[in-house]
PDB file of all heavy atoms in Angstrom:
ATOM      1  N   LYS A1483      85.010  95.970-119.607  1.00 94.00           N
ATOM      2  CA  LYS A1483      85.816  94.723-119.849  1.00 94.00           C
ATOM      3  C   LYS A1483      86.010  93.991-118.589  1.00 94.00           C
ATOM      4  O   LYS A1483      86.180  94.565-117.450  1.00 94.00           O
ATOM      5  CB  LYS A1483      87.009  95.005-120.503  1.00 94.00           C
ATOM      6  CG  LYS A1483      86.929  95.340-121.989  1.00 94.00           C
ATOM      7  CD  LYS A1483      88.251  95.683-122.662  1.00 94.00           C
ATOM      8  CE  LYS A1483      88.134  96.152-124.076  1.00 94.00           C
ATOM      9  NZ  LYS A1483      89.431  96.348-124.602  1.00 94.00           N
ATOM     10  N   LYS A1484      86.170  92.733-118.639  1.00 95.00           N
ATOM     11  CA  LYS A1484      86.419  91.852-117.394  1.00 95.00           C
ATOM     12  C   LYS A1484      85.310  91.870-116.401  1.00 95.00           C
ATOM     13  O   LYS A1484      85.632  91.699-115.150  1.00 95.00           O
ATOM     14  CB  LYS A1484      87.884  92.078-116.902  1.00 95.00           C
ATOM     15  CG  LYS A1484      88.875  91.926-118.011  1.00 95.00           C
ATOM     16  CD  LYS A1484      90.271  92.067-117.542  1.00 95.00           C
ATOM     17  CE  LYS A1484      91.281  91.828-118.745  1.00 95.00           C
ATOM     18  NZ  LYS A1484      92.556  91.751-118.232  1.00 95.00           N
ATOM     19  N   LEU A1485      84.131  92.306-116.750  1.00 97.00           N
ATOM     20  CA  LEU A1485      82.981  92.404-115.940  1.00 97.00           C
ATOM     21  C   LEU A1485      83.240  93.334-114.694  1.00 97.00           C
ATOM     22  O   LEU A1485      82.692  93.148-113.683  1.00 97.00           O
ATOM     23  CB  LEU A1485      82.650  90.957-115.253  1.00 97.00           C
ATOM     24  CG  LEU A1485      82.472  89.852-116.267  1.00 97.00           C
ATOM     25  CD1 LEU A1485      82.062  88.584-115.667  1.00 97.00           C
ATOM     26  CD2 LEU A1485      81.119  90.265-117.289  1.00 97.00           C
ATOM     27  N   LEU A1486      84.038  94.363-114.882  1.00 97.00           N
ATOM     28  CA  LEU A1486      84.213  95.348-113.900  1.00 97.00           C
ATOM     29  C   LEU A1486      83.068  96.235-113.739  1.00 97.00           C
ATOM     30  O   LEU A1486      82.268  96.595-114.712  1.00 97.00           O
ATOM     31  CB  LEU A1486      85.474  96.215-114.228  1.00 97.00           C
ATOM     32  CG  LEU A1486      86.695  95.499-114.189  1.00 97.00           C
ATOM     33  CD1 LEU A1486      87.916  96.379-114.670  1.00 97.00           C
ATOM     34  CD2 LEU A1486      87.227  94.955-112.877  1.00 97.00           C
ATOM     35  N   ILE A1487      82.781  96.738-112.481  1.00 96.00           N
ATOM     36  CA  ILE A1487      81.627  97.669-112.204  1.00 96.00           C
ATOM     37  C   ILE A1487      81.896  99.081-112.573  1.00 96.00           C
ATOM     38  O   ILE A1487      80.997  99.822-112.723  1.00 96.00           O
ATOM     39  CB  ILE A1487      81.254  97.505-110.743  1.00 96.00           C
ATOM     40  CG1 ILE A1487      82.295  98.039-109.900  1.00 96.00           C
ATOM     41  CG2 ILE A1487      80.870  96.174-110.437  1.00 96.00           C
ATOM     42  CD1 ILE A1487      81.927  98.125-108.319  1.00 96.00           C
ATOM     43  N   ALA A1488      83.160  99.461-112.875  1.00 96.00           N
ATOM     44  CA  ALA A1488      83.319 100.828-113.350  1.00 96.00           C
ATOM     45  C   ALA A1488      84.736 100.768-114.146  1.00 96.00           C
ATOM     46  O   ALA A1488      85.469  99.778-114.005  1.00 96.00           O
ATOM     47  CB  ALA A1488      83.557 101.746-112.081  1.00 96.00           C
ATOM     48  N   GLU A1489      85.139 101.829-114.770  1.00 95.00           N
ATOM     49  CA  GLU A1489      86.440 102.058-115.404  1.00 95.00           C
ATOM     50  C   GLU A1489      87.467 101.862-114.413  1.00 95.00           C
ATOM     51  O   GLU A1489      87.326 102.197-113.146  1.00 95.00           O
ATOM     52  CB  GLU A1489      86.380 103.374-116.086  1.00 95.00           C
ATOM     53  CG  GLU A1489      87.603 103.695-116.901  1.00 95.00           C
ATOM     54  CD  GLU A1489      88.756 104.309-116.053  1.00 95.00           C
ATOM     55  OE1 GLU A1489      88.391 105.116-115.068  1.00 95.00           O
ATOM     56  OE2 GLU A1489      89.898 104.205-116.269  1.00 95.00           O
ATOM     57  N   ILE A1490      88.655 101.439-114.744  1.00 95.00           N
ATOM     58  CA  ILE A1490      89.687 101.081-113.812  1.00 95.00           C
ATOM     59  C   ILE A1490      90.073 102.113-112.802  1.00 95.00           C
ATOM     60  O   ILE A1490      90.133 101.927-111.549  1.00 95.00           O
ATOM     61  CB  ILE A1490      90.888 100.432-114.485  1.00 95.00           C
ATOM     62  CG1 ILE A1490      90.579  99.023-115.040  1.00 95.00           C
ATOM     63  CG2 ILE A1490      91.992 100.295-113.549  1.00 95.00           C
ATOM     64  CD1 ILE A1490      91.647  98.444-115.923  1.00 95.00           C
ATOM     65  N   GLN A1491      90.352 103.312-113.217  1.00 93.00           N
ATOM     66  CA  GLN A1491      90.819 104.451-112.462  1.00 93.00           C
ATOM     67  C   GLN A1491      89.655 104.733-111.341  1.00 93.00           C
ATOM     68  O   GLN A1491      89.922 104.825-110.177  1.00 93.00           O
ATOM     69  CB  GLN A1491      91.272 105.621-113.194  1.00 93.00           C
ATOM     70  CG  GLN A1491      92.438 105.478-114.052  1.00 93.00           C
ATOM     71  CD  GLN A1491      93.772 105.032-113.313  1.00 93.00           C
ATOM     72  OE1 GLN A1491      93.762 103.835-113.026  1.00 93.00           O
ATOM     73  NE2 GLN A1491      94.552 105.906-112.968  1.00 93.00           N
ATOM     74  N   THR A1492      88.490 104.818-111.956  1.00 95.00           N
ATOM     75  CA  THR A1492      87.323 105.189-111.109  1.00 95.00           C
ATOM     76  C   THR A1492      87.224 104.132-109.986  1.00 95.00           C
ATOM     77  O   THR A1492      86.928 104.441-108.823  1.00 95.00           O
ATOM     78  CB  THR A1492      86.052 105.255-111.878  1.00 95.00           C
ATOM     79  OG1 THR A1492      86.182 106.298-112.920  1.00 95.00           O
ATOM     80  CG2 THR A1492      84.835 105.550-110.981  1.00 95.00           C
ATOM     81  N   LEU A1493      87.157 102.825-110.486  1.00 96.00           N
ATOM     82  CA  LEU A1493      87.128 101.778-109.531  1.00 96.00           C
ATOM     83  C   LEU A1493      88.203 101.775-108.446  1.00 96.00           C
ATOM     84  O   LEU A1493      87.865 101.676-107.222  1.00 96.00           O
ATOM     85  CB  LEU A1493      87.147 100.400-110.214  1.00 96.00           C
ATOM     86  CG  LEU A1493      86.889  99.142-109.496  1.00 96.00           C
ATOM     87  CD1 LEU A1493      85.581  99.129-108.846  1.00 96.00           C
ATOM     88  CD2 LEU A1493      87.080  97.931-110.460  1.00 96.00           C
ATOM     89  N   CYS A1494      89.431 102.013-108.821  1.00 96.00           N
ATOM     90  CA  CYS A1494      90.563 102.076-107.808  1.00 96.00           C
ATOM     91  C   CYS A1494      90.405 103.238-106.836  1.00 96.00           C
ATOM     92  O   CYS A1494      90.581 103.118-105.574  1.00 96.00           O
ATOM     93  CB  CYS A1494      91.940 102.180-108.558  1.00 96.00           C
ATOM     94  SG  CYS A1494      92.427 100.721-109.523  1.00 96.00           S
ATOM     95  N   TYR A1495      90.071 104.428-107.334  1.00 95.00           N
ATOM     96  CA  TYR A1495      89.845 105.628-106.517  1.00 95.00           C
ATOM     97  C   TYR A1495      88.612 105.408-105.714  1.00 95.00           C
ATOM     98  O   TYR A1495      88.396 106.314-104.791  1.00 95.00           O
ATOM     99  CB  TYR A1495      89.813 106.774-107.265  1.00 95.00           C
ATOM    100  CG  TYR A1495      91.202 107.204-107.879  1.00 95.00           C
ATOM    101  CD1 TYR A1495      91.334 107.636-109.142  1.00 95.00           C
ATOM    102  CD2 TYR A1495      92.361 106.969-107.121  1.00 95.00           C
ATOM    103  CE1 TYR A1495      92.568 107.943-109.718  1.00 95.00           C
ATOM    104  CE2 TYR A1495      93.589 107.231-107.635  1.00 95.00           C
ATOM    105  CZ  TYR A1495      93.743 107.670-108.876  1.00 95.00           C
ATOM    106  OH  TYR A1495      95.016 108.040-109.415  1.00 95.00           O
ATOM    107  N   SER A1496      87.694 104.484-105.851  1.00 97.00           N
ATOM    108  CA  SER A1496      86.593 104.291-105.049  1.00 97.00           C
ATOM    109  C   SER A1496      87.006 103.818-103.702  1.00 97.00           C
ATOM    110  O   SER A1496      86.265 103.914-102.678  1.00 97.00           O
ATOM    111  CB  SER A1496      85.527 103.491-105.665  1.00 97.00           C
ATOM    112  OG  SER A1496      85.886 102.098-105.731  1.00 97.00           O
ATOM    113  N   CYS A1497      88.154 103.204-103.564  1.00 97.00           N
ATOM    114  CA  CYS A1497      88.731 102.668-102.305  1.00 97.00           C
ATOM    115  C   CYS A1497      89.982 103.449-101.901  1.00 97.00           C
ATOM    116  O   CYS A1497      90.342 103.676-100.652  1.00 97.00           O
ATOM    117  CB  CYS A1497      88.967 101.224-102.209  1.00 97.00           C
ATOM    118  SG  CYS A1497      87.551 100.183-102.484  1.00 97.00           S
ATOM    119  N   HIS A1498      90.890 103.762-102.813  1.00 96.00           N
ATOM    120  CA  HIS A1498      92.076 104.344-102.624  1.00 96.00           C
ATOM    121  C   HIS A1498      91.950 105.850-102.847  1.00 96.00           C
ATOM    122  O   HIS A1498      91.484 106.277-104.083  1.00 96.00           O
ATOM    123  CB  HIS A1498      93.176 103.864-103.575  1.00 96.00           C
ATOM    124  CG  HIS A1498      93.400 102.398-103.359  1.00 96.00           C
ATOM    125  ND1 HIS A1498      94.131 101.705-102.424  1.00 96.00           N
ATOM    126  CD2 HIS A1498      92.885 101.277-104.037  1.00 96.00           C
ATOM    127  CE1 HIS A1498      94.150 100.461-102.426  1.00 96.00           C
ATOM    128  NE2 HIS A1498      93.408 100.133-103.369  1.00 96.00           N
ATOM    129  N   ASP A1499      92.133 106.674-101.823  1.00 96.00           N
ATOM    130  CA  ASP A1499      92.105 108.137-101.992  1.00 96.00           C
ATOM    131  C   ASP A1499      93.062 108.716-103.110  1.00 96.00           C
ATOM    132  O   ASP A1499      94.281 108.516-103.077  1.00 96.00           O
ATOM    133  CB  ASP A1499      92.417 108.830-100.607  1.00 96.00           C
ATOM    134  CG  ASP A1499      92.102 110.280-100.714  1.00 96.00           C
ATOM    135  OD1 ASP A1499      90.975 110.680-100.573  1.00 96.00           O
ATOM    136  OD2 ASP A1499      93.029 111.078-101.049  1.00 96.00           O
ATOM    137  N   GLN A1500      92.471 109.398-104.023  1.00 93.00           N
ATOM    138  CA  GLN A1500      93.248 109.870-105.274  1.00 93.00           C
ATOM    139  C   GLN A1500      94.327 110.884-104.734  1.00 93.00           C
ATOM    140  O   GLN A1500      95.461 110.671-105.316  1.00 93.00           O
ATOM    141  CB  GLN A1500      92.312 110.409-106.212  1.00 93.00           C
ATOM    142  CG  GLN A1500      93.086 110.828-107.518  1.00 93.00           C
ATOM    143  CD  GLN A1500      92.092 111.351-108.591  1.00 93.00           C
ATOM    144  OE1 GLN A1500      90.895 111.580-108.424  1.00 93.00           O
ATOM    145  NE2 GLN A1500      92.631 111.765-109.780  1.00 93.00           N
ATOM    146  N   ASP A1501      93.985 111.682-103.893  1.00 93.00           N
ATOM    147  CA  ASP A1501      95.007 112.728-103.407  1.00 93.00           C
ATOM    148  C   ASP A1501      96.136 112.040-102.721  1.00 93.00           C
ATOM    149  O   ASP A1501      97.271 112.405-103.019  1.00 93.00           O
ATOM    150  CB  ASP A1501      94.409 113.717-102.481  1.00 93.00           C
ATOM    151  CG  ASP A1501      93.414 114.628-103.171  1.00 93.00           C
ATOM    152  OD1 ASP A1501      93.479 114.755-104.419  1.00 93.00           O
ATOM    153  OD2 ASP A1501      92.490 115.095-102.568  1.00 93.00           O
ATOM    154  N   ASP A1502      95.891 110.943-101.959  1.00 95.00           N
ATOM    155  CA  ASP A1502      97.009 110.233-101.317  1.00 95.00           C
ATOM    156  C   ASP A1502      97.786 109.393-102.347  1.00 95.00           C
ATOM    157  O   ASP A1502      99.028 109.483-102.295  1.00 95.00           O
ATOM    158  CB  ASP A1502      96.372 109.187-100.326  1.00 95.00           C
ATOM    159  CG  ASP A1502      95.811 109.797 -99.014  1.00 95.00           C
ATOM    160  OD1 ASP A1502      96.158 111.110 -98.835  1.00 95.00           O
ATOM    161  OD2 ASP A1502      95.149 109.151 -98.357  1.00 95.00           O
ATOM    162  N   VAL A1503      97.112 108.982-103.278  1.00 94.00           N
ATOM    163  CA  VAL A1503      97.950 108.161-104.359  1.00 94.00           C
ATOM    164  C   VAL A1503      98.899 109.077-105.117  1.00 94.00           C
ATOM    165  O   VAL A1503      99.960 108.765-105.230  1.00 94.00           O
ATOM    166  CB  VAL A1503      96.908 107.425-105.289  1.00 94.00           C
ATOM    167  CG1 VAL A1503      97.618 106.826-106.483  1.00 94.00           C
ATOM    168  CG2 VAL A1503      96.152 106.332-104.507  1.00 94.00           C
ATOM    169  N   LEU A1504      98.224 110.174-105.444  1.00 92.00           N
ATOM    170  CA  LEU A1504      99.104 111.119-106.253  1.00 92.00           C
ATOM    171  C   LEU A1504     100.276 111.746-105.700  1.00 92.00           C
ATOM    172  O   LEU A1504     101.156 112.390-106.111  1.00 92.00           O
ATOM    173  CB  LEU A1504      98.218 112.155-106.982  1.00 92.00           C
ATOM    174  CG  LEU A1504      97.128 111.429-107.977  1.00 92.00           C
ATOM    175  CD1 LEU A1504      96.195 112.562-108.522  1.00 92.00           C
ATOM    176  CD2 LEU A1504      97.802 110.816-109.009  1.00 92.00           C
ATOM    177  N   THR A1505     100.262 111.763-104.163  1.00 94.00           N
ATOM    178  CA  THR A1505     101.228 112.319-103.546  1.00 94.00           C
ATOM    179  C   THR A1505     102.495 111.379-103.313  1.00 94.00           C
ATOM    180  O   THR A1505     103.609 111.882-103.044  1.00 94.00           O
ATOM    181  CB  THR A1505     100.922 112.763-102.072  1.00 94.00           C
ATOM    182  OG1 THR A1505     100.469 111.461-101.471  1.00 94.00           O
ATOM    183  CG2 THR A1505      99.821 113.738-102.082  1.00 94.00           C
ATOM    184  N   ILE A1506     102.281 110.168-103.803  1.00 94.00           N
ATOM    185  CA  ILE A1506     103.480 109.183-103.819  1.00 94.00           C
ATOM    186  C   ILE A1506     104.317 109.529-104.969  1.00 94.00           C
ATOM    187  O   ILE A1506     103.900 109.808-106.088  1.00 94.00           O
ATOM    188  CB  ILE A1506     102.919 107.768-104.046  1.00 94.00           C
ATOM    189  CG1 ILE A1506     102.034 107.279-102.787  1.00 94.00           C
ATOM    190  CG2 ILE A1506     104.134 106.725-104.193  1.00 94.00           C
ATOM    191  CD1 ILE A1506     101.258 106.096-102.965  1.00 94.00           C
ATOM    192  N   GLU A1507     105.716 109.743-104.727  1.00 94.00           N
ATOM    193  CA  GLU A1507     106.612 110.343-105.700  1.00 94.00           C
ATOM    194  C   GLU A1507     106.549 109.570-106.989  1.00 94.00           C
ATOM    195  O   GLU A1507     106.578 110.181-108.178  1.00 94.00           O
ATOM    196  CB  GLU A1507     108.015 110.133-105.184  1.00 94.00           C
ATOM    197  CG  GLU A1507     109.156 110.841-106.100  1.00 94.00           C
ATOM    198  CD  GLU A1507     110.383 110.890-105.503  1.00 94.00           C
ATOM    199  OE1 GLU A1507     110.582 110.672-104.305  1.00 94.00           O
ATOM    200  OE2 GLU A1507     111.352 111.100-106.305  1.00 94.00           O
ATOM    201  N   THR A1508     106.447 108.223-107.037  1.00 91.00           N
ATOM    202  CA  THR A1508     106.468 107.459-108.354  1.00 91.00           C
ATOM    203  C   THR A1508     105.177 107.650-109.118  1.00 91.00           C
ATOM    204  O   THR A1508     105.139 107.342-110.284  1.00 91.00           O
ATOM    205  CB  THR A1508     106.683 105.912-108.006  1.00 91.00           C
ATOM    206  OG1 THR A1508     105.612 105.600-107.184  1.00 91.00           O
ATOM    207  CG2 THR A1508     108.011 105.667-107.508  1.00 91.00           C
ATOM    208  N   HIS A1509     104.163 108.262-108.439  1.00 92.00           N
ATOM    209  CA  HIS A1509     102.889 108.569-109.098  1.00 92.00           C
ATOM    210  C   HIS A1509     102.814 109.985-109.565  1.00 92.00           C
ATOM    211  O   HIS A1509     101.898 110.273-110.220  1.00 92.00           O
ATOM    212  CB  HIS A1509     101.661 108.253-108.212  1.00 92.00           C
ATOM    213  CG  HIS A1509     101.523 106.787-107.947  1.00 92.00           C
ATOM    214  ND1 HIS A1509     100.987 106.415-106.692  1.00 92.00           N
ATOM    215  CD2 HIS A1509     101.715 105.615-108.556  1.00 92.00           C
ATOM    216  CE1 HIS A1509     100.816 105.052-106.693  1.00 92.00           C
ATOM    217  NE2 HIS A1509     101.358 104.605-107.899  1.00 92.00           N
ATOM    218  N   SER A1510     103.709 110.726-109.254  1.00 86.00           N
ATOM    219  CA  SER A1510     103.763 112.079-109.648  1.00 86.00           C
ATOM    220  C   SER A1510     103.403 112.591-111.106  1.00 86.00           C
ATOM    221  O   SER A1510     102.829 113.644-111.433  1.00 86.00           O
ATOM    222  CB  SER A1510     105.084 113.038-109.181  1.00 86.00           C
ATOM    223  OG  SER A1510     106.109 112.403-109.884  1.00 86.00           O
ATOM    224  N   GLU A1511     103.773 111.656-112.019  1.00 88.00           N
ATOM    225  CA  GLU A1511     103.479 112.013-113.383  1.00 88.00           C
ATOM    226  C   GLU A1511     102.777 110.887-114.159  1.00 88.00           C
ATOM    227  O   GLU A1511     103.030 110.678-115.361  1.00 88.00           O
ATOM    228  CB  GLU A1511     104.828 112.321-114.097  1.00 88.00           C
ATOM    229  CG  GLU A1511     105.624 113.521-113.556  1.00 88.00           C
ATOM    230  CD  GLU A1511     106.817 113.892-114.328  1.00 88.00           C
ATOM    231  OE1 GLU A1511     106.988 113.515-115.516  1.00 88.00           O
ATOM    232  OE2 GLU A1511     107.788 114.538-113.599  1.00 88.00           O
ATOM    233  N   ILE A1512     101.947 110.272-113.535  1.00 89.00           N
ATOM    234  CA  ILE A1512     101.219 109.056-114.091  1.00 89.00           C
ATOM    235  C   ILE A1512     100.130 109.589-115.106  1.00 89.00           C
ATOM    236  O   ILE A1512      99.791 108.750-115.982  1.00 89.00           O
ATOM    237  CB  ILE A1512     100.639 108.126-113.133  1.00 89.00           C
ATOM    238  CG1 ILE A1512      99.642 108.717-112.219  1.00 89.00           C
ATOM    239  CG2 ILE A1512     101.773 107.344-112.431  1.00 89.00           C
ATOM    240  CD1 ILE A1512      98.920 107.755-111.353  1.00 89.00           C
ATOM    241  N   GLY A1513      99.611 110.726-114.837  1.00 84.00           N
ATOM    242  CA  GLY A1513      98.561 111.179-115.824  1.00 84.00           C
ATOM    243  C   GLY A1513      97.373 110.312-115.858  1.00 84.00           C
ATOM    244  O   GLY A1513      96.784 109.926-114.886  1.00 84.00           O
ATOM    245  N   GLU A1514      96.979 109.829-116.999  1.00 84.00           N
ATOM    246  CA  GLU A1514      95.877 108.868-117.218  1.00 84.00           C
ATOM    247  C   GLU A1514      96.367 107.386-117.309  1.00 84.00           C
ATOM    248  O   GLU A1514      95.567 106.696-117.732  1.00 84.00           O
ATOM    249  CB  GLU A1514      95.191 109.327-118.475  1.00 84.00           C
ATOM    250  CG  GLU A1514      94.574 110.632-118.455  1.00 84.00           C
ATOM    251  CD  GLU A1514      93.443 110.742-117.349  1.00 84.00           C
ATOM    252  OE1 GLU A1514      92.609 109.823-117.342  1.00 84.00           O
ATOM    253  OE2 GLU A1514      93.401 111.764-116.688  1.00 84.00           O
ATOM    254  N   THR A1515      97.515 107.193-116.845  1.00 92.00           N
ATOM    255  CA  THR A1515      98.092 105.772-116.859  1.00 92.00           C
ATOM    256  C   THR A1515      97.190 105.052-115.913  1.00 92.00           C
ATOM    257  O   THR A1515      96.754 105.365-114.800  1.00 92.00           O
ATOM    258  CB  THR A1515      99.530 105.741-116.295  1.00 92.00           C
ATOM    259  OG1 THR A1515     100.268 106.568-117.150  1.00 92.00           O
ATOM    260  CG2 THR A1515     100.087 104.259-116.415  1.00 92.00           C
ATOM    261  N   SER A1516      96.868 103.655-116.501  1.00 94.00           N
ATOM    262  CA  SER A1516      95.950 102.911-115.729  1.00 94.00           C
ATOM    263  C   SER A1516      96.738 102.253-114.578  1.00 94.00           C
ATOM    264  O   SER A1516      97.805 101.843-114.804  1.00 94.00           O
ATOM    265  CB  SER A1516      95.351 101.763-116.670  1.00 94.00           C
ATOM    266  OG  SER A1516      94.645 100.849-115.894  1.00 94.00           O
ATOM    267  N   CYS A1517      96.026 102.227-113.442  1.00 96.00           N
ATOM    268  CA  CYS A1517      96.681 101.595-112.198  1.00 96.00           C
ATOM    269  C   CYS A1517      97.176 100.082-112.543  1.00 96.00           C
ATOM    270  O   CYS A1517      98.294  99.815-112.143  1.00 96.00           O
ATOM    271  CB  CYS A1517      95.667 101.512-111.095  1.00 96.00           C
ATOM    272  SG  CYS A1517      95.018 102.934-110.456  1.00 96.00           S
ATOM    273  N   THR A1518      96.359  99.375-113.359  1.00 97.00           N
ATOM    274  CA  THR A1518      96.780  98.183-113.757  1.00 97.00           C
ATOM    275  C   THR A1518      97.815  97.949-114.731  1.00 97.00           C
ATOM    276  O   THR A1518      98.248  96.788-115.029  1.00 97.00           O
ATOM    277  CB  THR A1518      95.462  97.347-114.215  1.00 97.00           C
ATOM    278  OG1 THR A1518      94.968  97.987-115.353  1.00 97.00           O
ATOM    279  CG2 THR A1518      94.444  97.101-113.070  1.00 97.00           C
ATOM    280  N   ASP A1519      98.318  99.088-115.198  1.00 96.00           N
ATOM    281  CA  ASP A1519      99.603  98.913-116.015  1.00 96.00           C
ATOM    282  C   ASP A1519     100.828  98.556-115.155  1.00 96.00           C
ATOM    283  O   ASP A1519     101.748  97.974-115.653  1.00 96.00           O
ATOM    284  CB  ASP A1519      99.866 100.285-116.716  1.00 96.00           C
ATOM    285  CG  ASP A1519      98.986 100.645-117.872  1.00 96.00           C
ATOM    286  OD1 ASP A1519      98.227  99.664-118.264  1.00 96.00           O
ATOM    287  OD2 ASP A1519      99.030 101.794-118.312  1.00 96.00           O
ATOM    288  N   CYS A1520     100.707  98.943-113.852  1.00 96.00           N
ATOM    289  CA  CYS A1520     101.852  98.646-112.898  1.00 96.00           C
ATOM    290  C   CYS A1520     101.412  97.543-111.814  1.00 96.00           C
ATOM    291  O   CYS A1520     102.318  96.865-111.184  1.00 96.00           O
ATOM    292  CB  CYS A1520     102.417  99.888-112.354  1.00 96.00           C
ATOM    293  SG  CYS A1520     103.032 101.008-113.498  1.00 96.00           S
ATOM    294  N   HIS A1521     100.128  97.721-111.466  1.00 98.00           N
ATOM    295  CA  HIS A1521      99.667  96.946-110.250  1.00 98.00           C
ATOM    296  C   HIS A1521      98.758  95.749-110.773  1.00 98.00           C
ATOM    297  O   HIS A1521      97.839  95.984-111.455  1.00 98.00           O
ATOM    298  CB  HIS A1521      98.968  97.791-109.254  1.00 98.00           C
ATOM    299  CG  HIS A1521      99.834  98.862-108.760  1.00 98.00           C
ATOM    300  ND1 HIS A1521     100.726  98.699-107.620  1.00 98.00           N
ATOM    301  CD2 HIS A1521      99.806 100.203-109.135  1.00 98.00           C
ATOM    302  CE1 HIS A1521     101.232  99.828-107.534  1.00 98.00           C
ATOM    303  NE2 HIS A1521     100.732 100.909-108.380  1.00 98.00           N
ATOM    304  N   ASN A1522      98.968  94.700-110.145  1.00 98.00           N
ATOM    305  CA  ASN A1522      97.944  93.457-110.376  1.00 98.00           C
ATOM    306  C   ASN A1522      96.910  93.674-109.412  1.00 98.00           C
ATOM    307  O   ASN A1522      97.023  93.576-108.254  1.00 98.00           O
ATOM    308  CB  ASN A1522      98.832  92.152-110.170  1.00 98.00           C
ATOM    309  CG  ASN A1522      97.911  90.883-110.475  1.00 98.00           C
ATOM    310  OD1 ASN A1522      96.774  90.870-110.315  1.00 98.00           O
ATOM    311  ND2 ASN A1522      98.630  89.930-111.019  1.00 98.00           N
ATOM    312  N   PRO A1523      95.605  93.704-109.931  1.00 97.00           N
ATOM    313  CA  PRO A1523      94.453  93.968-109.158  1.00 97.00           C
ATOM    314  C   PRO A1523      94.069  92.716-108.272  1.00 97.00           C
ATOM    315  O   PRO A1523      93.209  92.864-107.320  1.00 97.00           O
ATOM    316  CB  PRO A1523      93.479  94.318-110.124  1.00 97.00           C
ATOM    317  CG  PRO A1523      93.809  93.588-111.303  1.00 97.00           C
ATOM    318  CD  PRO A1523      95.291  93.614-111.485  1.00 97.00           C
TER     319      PRO A1523
END
């Protein structure tokens, strides 16, 4: 959707290191929550 080249989480983690993101306290329990639920791309 929205002409994206990949699924949102995959796309975000192609630039943002997943391990670094998940060490942020507010991300500790995000599970499969989409980045764009909280962040405007």
Side-chain angles (χ1 to χ4, degrees):
K1483 289 182 179 181
K1484 301 186 180 188
L1485 304 177
L1486 294 174
I1487 61 173
E1489 184 271 327
I1490 291 172
Q1491 296 300 79
T1492 301
L1493 186 58
C1494 294
Y1495 290 141
S1496 70
C1497 293
H1498 300 278
D1499 185 85
Q1500 184 174 6
D1501 292 333
D1502 289 344
V1503 169
L1504 295 177
T1505 61
I1506 299 168
E1507 186 177 342
T1508 55
H1509 291 150
S1510 64
E1511 296 183 26
I1512 62 171
E1514 296 298 316
T1515 303
S1516 174
C1517 299
T1518 57
D1519 285 352
C1520 300
H1521 301 278
N1522 184 324

